[in-house]
Amino acid sequence: MATAFTPEPTGSGLRATVQRFGGKLAGMVMPNIGAFIAWGLITALFIPTGWLPNEDLAELVDPMIKMLLPVLIGYTGGRMVHGQRGAVVGAVATVGIAVGAEQPMFLGAMIIGPFTAYLLKLFDDLVRDRVRTGFEMLVDNFSAGIIAAAMAVAGRAVIGPVMGTVSDWAGDAVGRLVDHNLLPLTSLLVEPAKVLFLNNAVNHGVLTPLGVQQATETGKSVLFMIESNPGPGIGVLLAYLFFGPKRLRPSVPAAAIIQFFGGIHEIYFPYILMKPRMILAAVAGGMTGVAVFAATGAGLVASPSPGSIFAYLAQTPRGAGNWFGVYGGLLASAAVSFGVGVALLGFGRRAEPEQGDAGDGGDDTAAGAKGAGAKDTGENDAEDAGTGTAAANADAAKEGADDGADGAPETAPLNDRPTEGTPR
């Protein structure tokens, strides 16, 4: 199901299939980003290391992250599959995996919510037009209640422990990357995936759940900044602004403002797709930023969504070290992506589209030649037309003068004209 947050991709290829799957994962999280931001602000303000430590208000943190947010995701996933009835059973089933879990069950909610709604949808399709009049509400309510209760029990007994193990494995994998200083390598996958418009799927479907789990343990997570870092994007746009094709430069300032301050990263994807080699600039900038984040131990308390500098300011924990790491990494990633982008553009010498580079260079040349030819032809036609008209006017004037000299115009028919050799 398409939403305002994740438009349904068209096509049947592998890319479209992956986009649809990732869009559905992101579609369960994106409508609830406001709740994530609320939790992040409460965490940043009221935990013992926050800006305004408050023991009573800090008690809101655990229930929100372990119960409220997974239930919202399960509710949204169920609604995507089977409307309001699916939303209700998805939320109930999600409670089953959330109760007793030591870590937030976001990945589990993304599975059990839609799956429970799908089971209810199958049942509704099976009994459609078979329920006697007057029993519709009874069947609807009891079927939803029974399926939701059964899936909540199954989630508590089976799905919850399994997803907890999977989450632990994923967390251990990320931990190994951090311990071996290999976390920057994630940019080799994340940056190309972003340009294919899988940014929301990567961030909210994979990195945010793992980051939330890490943040509950340490108070912050570097995973929140791997995809959302606005540095690589603003570096690419600045490279286009100063050294890109002249016909594109007027559009870059507005795109840069939207990307850096508004957090809408999709605005710079077409600039990379226009010149695919520019993905190297985004990858280099992303790896540099993650390397600085990991080296300084920086992290955010919650996902900065959208990936705007203002969201970063709101989610940066207290402490000079955190601020230096977060914004030092952001500036370093922007500088590296700008430098690599400028080099890939040849410092302006290779800025204009080459044959086959963006797919429009040859067309522009052909169009220009065609337009020039049409212009030349039109000018020649106009000159010929003007010359012919002037000659015709001159002949007409000459004939009129001859007629005036004779005193009367010639009106004799052609067959009465004198033959050759006969005096007139």
Side-chain angles (χ1 to χ4, degrees):
M1 175 181 176
T3 68
F5 301 96
T6 56
E8 186 76 22
T10 58
S12 57
L14 177 62
R15 173 182 170 183
T17 301
V18 174
Q19 283 182 327
R20 275 191 288 269
F21 178 74
K24 286 179 172 57
L25 292 180
M28 299 182 214
V29 178
M30 291 294 290
N32 301 306
I33 283 297
F36 278 85
I37 293 175
W39 172 80
L41 291 175
I42 291 173
T43 302
L45 290 174
F46 303 125
I47 61 175
T49 58
W51 294 95
L52 301 172
N54 188 300
E55 184 176 354
D56 294 334
L57 296 179
E59 294 178 356
L60 294 170
V61 174
D62 275 357
M64 290 180 69
I65 193 61
K66 292 183 178 179
M67 185 62 66
L68 174 63
L69 296 179
V71 168
L72 285 175
I73 291 175
Y75 178 94
T76 305
R79 188 181 184 90
M80 292 171 64
V81 174
H82 195 42
Q84 184 62 30
R85 282 169 55 75
V88 172
V89 298
V92 174
T94 303
V95 173
I97 64 171
V99 171
E102 296 182 357
Q103 66 269 17
M105 278 292 172
F106 294 120
L107 297 178
M110 291 180 181
I111 295 174
I112 197 170
F115 182 67
T116 305
Y118 180 70
L119 293 179
L120 180 62
K121 184 177 185 295
L122 291 178
F123 179 83
D124 288 347
D125 292 340
L126 180 64
V127 301
R128 183 180 301 167
D129 300 330
R130 298 182 181 181
V131 179
R132 294 183 178 275
T133 303
F135 289 87
E136 294 89 352
M137 183 176 293
L138 180 67
V139 173
D140 286 348
N141 290 339
F142 271 86
S143 62
I146 293 171
I147 291 175
M151 289 303 297
V153 173
R156 179 67 179 90
V158 180
I159 301 176
V162 171
M163 293 308 303
T165 302
V166 172
S167 297
D168 290 339
W169 288 348
D172 292 341
V174 173
R176 284 193 293 269
L177 291 175
V178 175
D179 294 338
H180 293 84
N181 298 320
L182 297 177
L183 195 60
L185 296 180
T186 56
S187 296
L188 293 173
L189 299 176
V190 171
E191 295 299 333
K194 286 175 63 177
V195 174
L196 296 177
F197 293 89
L198 297 176
N199 52 318
N200 289 329
V202 170
N203 189 27
H204 302 297
V206 179
L207 296 176
T208 294
L210 296 176
V212 169
Q213 179 179 342
Q214 191 178 72
T216 57
E217 299 171 357
T218 63
K220 60 184 178 181
S221 175
V222 67
L223 301 180
F224 292 134
M225 299 184 289
I226 292 178
E227 185 277 335
S228 64
N229 181 10
I234 194 65
V236 169
L237 290 174
L238 290 177
Y240 265 100
L241 177 62
F242 294 106
F243 298 98
K246 293 181 179 179
R247 59 188 175 85
L248 292 179
R249 293 180 189 177
S251 67
V252 174
I257 292 173
I258 293 172
Q259 189 267 345
F260 192 71
F261 295 103
I264 309 301
H265 291 204
E266 288 83 353
I267 195 72
Y268 78 87
F269 298 168
Y271 291 88
I272 292 181
L273 294 175
M274 188 183 309
K275 292 182 178 297
R277 63 176 179 265
M278 292 295 288
I279 189 62
L280 298 177
V283 170
M287 293 179 68
T288 302
V290 175
V292 174
F293 298 149
T296 59
L300 302 181
V301 298
S303 177
S305 183
S308 162
I309 186 62
F310 296 123
Y312 266 64
L313 291 171
Q315 306 294 358
T316 303
R318 188 176 60 180
N322 286 317
W323 282 73
F324 173 79
V326 170
Y327 300 104
L330 194 154
L331 292 176
S333 63
V336 169
S337 63
F338 172 76
V340 175
V342 168
L344 292 173
L345 291 172
F347 296 91
R349 293 190 299 272
R350 298 175 60 191
E352 294 302 327
E354 300 173 0
Q355 184 69 25
D357 183 27
D360 58 355
D363 295 341
D364 290 345
T365 303
K370 182 178 179 181
K375 181 180 179 181
D376 293 341
T377 303
E379 291 177 352
N380 293 336
D381 291 344
E383 292 175 358
D384 293 342
T387 304
T389 303
N393 292 338
D395 292 342
K398 183 178 179 181
E399 292 178 3
D402 294 340
D403 292 343
D406 295 341
E410 294 180 357
T411 57
L414 293 177
N415 56 0
D416 292 339
R417 291 182 180 273
T419 59
E420 186 176 353
T422 305
R424 189 170 180 177

